[in-house]
Every structure is written in C-alpha cells, then in structure tokens.
Amino acid sequence: MKQLFFAIVFLFAITVNAQLKSPAEFSQSYGKTASYYHQVENYFGHLVQNSEYIQHKSYGQTTQERSLNVYYISTPENLRDLENIRQNNLYQIGMADAKPAMVNDKVIVWLSFNVHGNEIGATESAMSVAYELINPENKDSKEWLENTIVILDPCLNPDGFSRYGNWLRDISGKNTHPGLNDREHMEPWPGGRENHYSYDLNRDWAWQTQIETQQRMVLYNEWMPMVHVDVHEMGFNEPYFFPPAAEPMHDFITDGQKDFYNAIGEMTAKKFDSEGWNYYTRERFDLFYPSYGDTYPTFNGAVGMTYEQGGIGAGRAITMNNGNLLTLQDRINHHTAAILTAVETASWQKDKLVKNFRAYFKDSREEPKGKYRTYIIKNTGKTDQLTRLLKRNKIQYAYAAESKKASGYNYQSDTTKDFTIEPNDLIVSVNQPKATLTQVLFEPAQKLTDSLSYDITAWALPHAYGIDSYALKGNLSIDTKKEISYKGKFDYERIYAYYVPWNGRASAKLLGLMLKSGIRVRSSRKASAFRGIKVSPGDLVILKGDNPQLQDFKNMMESLLDKKRDYEVVESGFSLEGGDLGGENYPLVATPKVLLLAGNSVSATDFGQVWFYMDEIVNYPVSIVEIQNLERVNLLEFNTIVLPDGWYSLPESDKKSIDTFIDNGGKVIAIANALSVFEDRPGYSLTKFATDEAKLLETTLSDNETLESRFYDFQNAERRALSGSVPGAIVENILDKSHPLSYGLGDKYFSLKTNDTHYQLLKNAWNVAYVPAKYKNFGFIGKSLKKKLENTVTFAVQQKGKGQIIYMVDNPLFRGFWENGNLLFSNALFLVD
Ligand SMILES: [Zn+2]
C-alpha cells in the first residue's frame, strides 16, 4: 500500500514537472518582441500552478490598476516555513519583538526587475531567471535554494513597461530594423521609462512619493533582504555592467558590503569570460544618492547592486557600433546568466552574509557612523508630512513631552547654538534599527569620496522640509510621547471664522478642496493676533460671513478640516494686533484655472512632477495641452499657465498669445529652462546680467579659464567640466518675507539647485528668493560656479500689464520630495495674484 502511494506521488511529480514550460515554450513571441504585461503575469501563474518551488503574492496596484507582484522562490520546505524565516530575520535585527519558533538561517535575496519601464530586457529575463531557479533539470539552482529565499519582483513599473511594450507592438512589422533609421528605435514622448505620472521610480526609493514605491516598501520592510539586485538596461552600445560600483561611495558603506561586491564581481566575470561576453565594472554608477535601488537597500543593511545590459532604444534587434547584432534574446541571456550568478554567490556566501547583515544593525546602533546621535525638529506645524516619510521608512520617532535646554548644531544657521526643546518638538534618535538610514537622511553634510557624481549630493531632511532643526552629538534623555494632541471639536455657534495655518501640502490641498467646493477663503497678508491665535502671512481664514450661500457650510468645514488637525477657530474678528478679519489684510483667494503645457520639447519628468503635484498632492483640476495644440486653446478660459522645464522653441504666434495672456491679467509660472522663452525679450525683466560690467566680469572669468586650460591634460577633461557644474546641491536663499511667494517657507529658503543656470538679481521685479554673497551651501558645487552664484535670483515675480510671471530658476518640485518646494509652488499657484 505504502509502495503504491509512493509510486502515485512519483508519477504525479513527473507529470507536474512535465508540464512546467520555459518562457519560450509558453509563448512563441518570447525573446522576439516585448511581452504584454498580462503575458508576464500568465507565465508566472503557470509556474506557480506547476511547481512547488514558487509562490505568488500581490502587493498592490499601479495608478493604471495593474497588479504589482512578487514571487517567493525556494525549496518547498523553506516555502512552508516562510513566515518563520521572515519573522526570525526581523527579530535578529531588532525590527520585531517576538522571537519566532527556531528556524535555520537563510539568506534572503530580493531581485527587482524593470523599475524603468522601457528597459524590457529586465522583465523578459525575470521569466527566464524564475524558470531556471525552479526548473527540475537544473540541479545547481535546486542546491542554491536549500539555503536561499529569492523574492522576485518581475516588474516594478508595470505602467511604464506596458506603455513601451504596447507601443513597440503597435509599430512593429514582420521584419526587424537592425539599422537605426526606423521608428522602432525612436520612442515617442513621454517614453516608458517612468511610471504613470512620469516619475522616475529609481529616484524614489527613500522619498516614496509614488504609490508603486510606497506599496513595495511596506513589503520590503516586512522582509529586509540581505542582498538586493536591481536589474536595468542602458544605451545599447554599452557592454554589460555588474558590481563593484564606481566611486564616489558613501562612507557609511561597510567593508562587509564591499567584500560581497568584489566576490560577485569575480564570479560574474568568470561566467562572462567563459561566454566571451563584453562587460565592465567600477567605471560608472556610483553609490551615493540614497534613493536608488542599490543605495537604498545598502543603507538598510543589504548588499545593494545595479546590473545593466545595453538595450535602451534597441527595439527587437539592433546593430551595435562594433558591428555585432544585439537581439532581445541576447539581452535576456546576459541578464539571466548574471542574475543567476548573483543568487549562486549569495547562496555560497550565505553564512557571511547573514553574519554581516546582523552585525550591520548591531554596529550601526552601538557605534553610529555619523556625527550626530539625536535630531530635534521644532514643532512649526510642518512636522506632520515629515513623520509620514519617517513612518514609510520605518524610522522611529517621538515627540517631546517636556521642555528642556540643549545645545546643538542648528541647520538653518549652520552654527552651534543653545536652544530649548519644547513639548511637541519631534525627536529622532539614532538608537534604533534604522540608525544608518536615519543618519543618511538627517546628517547635515554627506562625505563625498569623489566629486565625480551625476546626481544630487545633498538632501538633509531639515532643509528639504524647511523646518528649524538641531542635531545633537549625544543621546538625549527627555520625556516623550507618541502623538501630538490637538484641540477637540469646537462649538459651532461660537465660531466667527476658521483659521488654518499655511504650513505645507495639507494646507494647499485643503485650500484647493475648499475652492473646488465653492467655499470663499481669505489669506492673510500681515502678521496679526486674535485671542489665543497668532496669524502669520499666508495663513487661511474662512469666515462664516463670507459663505452664506452654502447651506451645508458647517458639515463641509468639519469634514474638510478633519485632515488638517492643527486648525483653530476665531470667536471674534476683532484683532488684538495686526488687522481685523474684515479688513484689507485678508483678501479673498482667487480660484486658479490652470493650463499645463506638455509634449515634445517639455521634459517628461519635469512635466510629470507638475502633473503629480496637481493631481495627487493638491488634487486640483488642471488642463494638460501639448505644445503643438496650444493655438487650439482659448486662453481666456484660464488664469494660470505652467511651463515645466524643457527645451522650448515656441513659434512667435504662441509667444504672442502668452504675452497677451499675461497683459490681460494671467499668471505664468515658468520653471528652469522654460525661462528661455522670456529671457531678453521686450517686456520681460529676465536677463542674465544686471549690468554691462557684470557681464564683462563673467566673460573675463571664463576667458581666463580658457587661457589656463591650454595647460590641461586630456585625461581629466570630464573632471574639470565639473568645476562649472552643480549636479545637485543645497543653496541658501534670502527671502523677501513680505511677498506671498515666500509665505510659510520660514526665515530662509534652502533651494535644491540641480542646474548651473543663474541670473543676477532682476531689475523691475521682486527678487523673492536670492542667493546672497558668501552664501552657505551643502553638497558639491564646482569651484568656478560657486562665486558666480552670488547675488543671483532663484525665484522672482514680475508684474507685466495686469498679470504676472513667476520665474523659477530652480525646480521646487524636483522629484517631489523637497517639501518646502511643494509649499513654494503652492504659493505660486494659489497665493500670488
Ligand atoms: Zn534603468
């Protein structure tokens, strides 16, 4: 009987395996053209149905309602014990309190594919990697899985992947076009690289502005992998890239992590050598900016790595500049070999990886690498959004429950100062599992081992959020509490007006919702005081007396204010200081009717940042029109036009209609290179130099550099080019605090400068935020640019005719994470009029 039972099981096992198909057996078009997203899901469904080595979990949905998936791949025994293995891993690093049942340690390897949607060789290879891991014929991979849990995410960006893949299918005929001259290699705007809102998800790991990232990071934090592989493609002529990465490396990266980069480099090189494939390591892809798929896991204790195959723009097949043909199948083959080698290396080095990973959390807590141990963020009403970010990153925090004197580094003045910690101030201590990540995000200055970086080099959260903050060198002993307490419900009969502080995106969103609901709202233009309430410029006041037209005013206000809990009520419009609520200092806010330009010659990511701001951050209606259709639009239906960063070459007729739009009372918000539309044109104040002498001075400086450069060698050309550039640094700006564009920002504005464009202070305009002489900066600014930025304007407003134009030299919405930038943009949209 027993024997018969085994025979049946054996037979069954054979039939199960016999049904397991490779991707090519499953789909005829595999390796020949892009898979549709549903085909990818179907294939993984097939694997799950026919193998005990793989399980599925859906972790969320994209904006376009595609499912986000991971697949757990390991031996059936390990998969049965998955929950214990997960709990044990968290427990060992201090991220779970309860000790689970005894389990054997496993190495946890997370494989992420296709965060950039048009890099399809990644998702296509995910199917091959999964198949090879579970294929019973592949005895090696079965051995690796004994001690390894693979978490495989075949596509981090299904919306972008589908945009590219569907397009490629749309335009493909029977024949491929290995030559360049076919639309197959010319992806249309906005391209599939980014997600629905044209956000680059591989710049979003730490900031988590996008729902794909937010949902993924919940699962990531439940697992905390030890190895993270981020699978990409790059320009199609490039040979394959695998670790080790390039300098600069952040100096918090440990020797243990670097050891593994080298081990994996050697193993992968051996594999590629034997196949005769071209590759390189260490020359590009540095490890500094913390919001990538390699650095972010690295600052979370893992060995985080980027893998790159040439393939962007390659379509189905292309001839490379060495004359070789590169097909989609080649891209799949290279990736599959490299990623399987990563799993193999992790399995081989399991003991070391597990040991190093646990030591990482213990050491970073006991001997933190940064300069400071405690960060105090003053309660200026702006901490709410910051705590959301901390929560998403599983960084623990508390609020002060008592007052205490202290001394520490003050971010805003860049000096050490005495100050008082007050109840409700936010406290973040490094003494927690996410010690390193906390320091990476909060340390005022990051140590750059090499200036040759292509991304931003500073991001300290107190500057990004524009909150008065301190960093203390020691631990702090103080009574704390978990929540800020707000006042309860107010008696409606006694309310004369509602008061809402203007201190962040929640204020702007609430204002947008009120305007959409037809509620009349006033914004303060002057500091004033009412009983128990100090009103600052920009703060919102909603008078009962303004809104008799709304039957349901009371209920509308109560439900709207539910999400903005620092609101107050005013019982009398009679001020103690400043002006009464009925007076001229509280003008009604006009309702913006917004037109946003898009299309070719607008930067897709920068367009996406404005679109996302309108749609998701303030949830306010916006009309999007592609530039070539501008003449079809009746501009009279709008009072605001936004021009995102781009490379504009507008026809004269379009420029004329924009001129007229402004003269008639319209408002234009122009960002970064969109300023070129107005530079040196009659009627506009925007010009690079204030005087002829200033122009001469900068020309002389540049001439001298050219003369000096006659003695330069060829080798360091790239490095020298950096001296005139700023890949991304924080730059101090002085504010005209009386102008509505600056309301709520604080005493100063720290701008994230990501381009070297600069204009001297403008004549006949309000220079609302400008870089002073001897300004402070954090992060790398090339030495020849540093001086030139003195006395240049960053945000200016010019009155023209009945309307105005807001010049934004820096993009305040860059990647959506500069929270004070979101507020500045809200000022431009709602308060400047
Ligand atoms: Zn990529």
Side-chain angles (χ1 to χ4, degrees), residues 670-672 675 679 685-690 698 731-736 739 741 749 751-773 775 785-798 805-812 824:
I671 308 172
L675 267 59
E679 191 177 327
S685 305
L686 189 72
T687 187
K688 287 248 158 65
F689 300 99
E698 189 158 321
V731 174
E732 177 190 19
N733 274 254
I734 302 289
L735 286 177
D736 171 358
H739 196 283
L741 188 61
Y749 182 79
S751 189
L752 186 63
K753 187 156 189 67
T754 56
N755 63 59
D756 58 7
T757 313
H758 51 284
Y759 296 87
Q760 295 189 340
L761 294 180
L762 305 183
K763 290 181 275 194
N764 303 319
W766 288 285
N767 294 286
V768 182
Y770 68 92
V771 184
Y775 62 94
L785 180 64
K786 167 100 188 173
K787 184 82 187 150
K788 292 176 191 163
L789 290 182
E790 290 192 349
N791 294 315
T792 61
V793 67
T794 308
F795 301 103
V797 182
Q798 181 196 345
I805 171 155
I806 302 176
Y807 302 114
M808 298 189 166
V809 179
D810 295 350
N811 174 10
L824 187 142

Side-chain angles (χ1 to χ4, degrees), residues 197 505-517 560 563 592 594 610-622 826 829-830:
Y197 283 109
R505 66 166 70 186
S507 310
K509 186 171 191 171
L510 175 64
L511 175 58
L513 287 172
M514 289 193 289
L515 294 176
K516 275 197 296 187
S517 322
L560 286 168
K563 295 201 173 62
V594 189
V610 182
W611 184 23
F612 181 75
Y613 168 89
M614 298 300 300
D615 230 20
E616 289 288 326
I617 294 184
V618 290
N619 186 7
Y620 194 81
V622 58
S826 306
L829 185 68
F830 290 112

Side-chain angles (χ1 to χ4, degrees), residues 641-786:
I641 301 178
V642 184
L643 278 67
D645 194 1
W647 308 269
Y648 292 80
S649 55
L650 294 181
E652 268 319 298
S653 56
D654 283 350
K655 287 187 185 169
K656 286 252 159 60
S657 23
I658 292 177
D659 293 348
T660 315
F661 172 79
I662 301 174
D663 287 337
N664 290 341
K667 173 164 73 183
V668 165
I669 302 173
I671 308 172
N673 286 319
L675 267 59
S676 66
V677 174
F678 307 97
E679 191 177 327
D680 294 325
R681 278 190 60 224
Y684 295 94
S685 305
L686 189 72
T687 187
K688 287 248 158 65
F689 300 99
T691 60
D692 288 344
E693 291 82 63
K695 187 173 185 175
L696 191 67
L697 189 72
E698 189 158 321
T699 319
T700 316
L701 273 175
S702 301
D703 286 350
N704 287 344
E705 278 164 30
T706 314
L707 284 173
E708 257 177 65
S709 73
R710 293 173 301 162
F711 303 101
Y712 292 164
D713 61 357
F714 174 67
Q715 195 186 345
N716 287 309
E718 186 179 19
R719 212 161 274 282
R720 276 192 309 272
L722 278 175
S723 78
S725 83
V726 52
I730 300 174
V731 174
E732 177 190 19
N733 274 254
I734 302 289
L735 286 177
D736 171 358
K737 289 179 70 179
S738 67
H739 196 283
L741 188 61
S742 75
Y743 289 170
L745 298 180
D747 290 334
K748 287 177 185 175
Y749 182 79
F750 286 89
S751 189
L752 186 63
K753 187 156 189 67
T754 56
N755 63 59
D756 58 7
T757 313
H758 51 284
Y759 296 87
Q760 295 189 340
L761 294 180
L762 305 183
K763 290 181 275 194
N764 303 319
W766 288 285
N767 294 286
V768 182
Y770 68 92
V771 184
K774 301 206 174 87
Y775 62 94
K776 294 191 187 304
N777 70 281
F778 305 89
F780 176 77
I781 298 182
K783 76 172 188 312
S784 82
L785 180 64
K786 167 100 188 173

Side-chain angles (χ1 to χ4, degrees), residues 483-538:
E483 299 279 344
I484 291 188
S485 35
Y486 295 102
K487 290 182 184 161
K489 282 244 153 95
F490 300 94
D491 178 9
Y492 186 72
E493 296 314 314
R494 288 166 56 196
I495 296 174
Y496 179 79
Y498 293 94
Y499 159 78
V500 179
W502 184 255
N503 53 15
R505 66 166 70 186
S507 310
K509 186 171 191 171
L510 175 64
L511 175 58
L513 287 172
M514 289 193 289
L515 294 176
K516 275 197 296 187
S517 322
I519 297 172
R520 293 174 188 140
V521 185
R522 293 174 185 275
S523 159
S524 167
R525 288 285 179 270
K526 199 177 165 191
S528 54
F530 296 82
R531 204 182 319 159
I533 299 171
K534 268 194 153 54
V535 177
S536 301

Side-chain angles (χ1 to χ4, degrees), residues 116 119 193 232-233 308:
H116 292 141
E119 299 170 5
R193 176 182 172 90
H232 288 256
E233 290 192 306
E308 298 265 0

Side-chain angles (χ1 to χ4, degrees), residues 257-286:
Q257 289 169 323
K258 287 180 190 163
D259 276 355
F260 191 76
Y261 295 141
N262 290 328
I264 213 145
E266 281 168 28
M267 287 279 279
T268 318
K270 225 179 269 173
K271 178 79 195 158
F272 274 57
D273 287 342
S274 72
E275 298 280 357
W277 293 337
N278 292 6
Y279 63 87
Y280 69 108
T281 65
R282 287 166 290 197
E283 288 170 33
R284 274 178 64 195
F285 307 110
D286 56 71

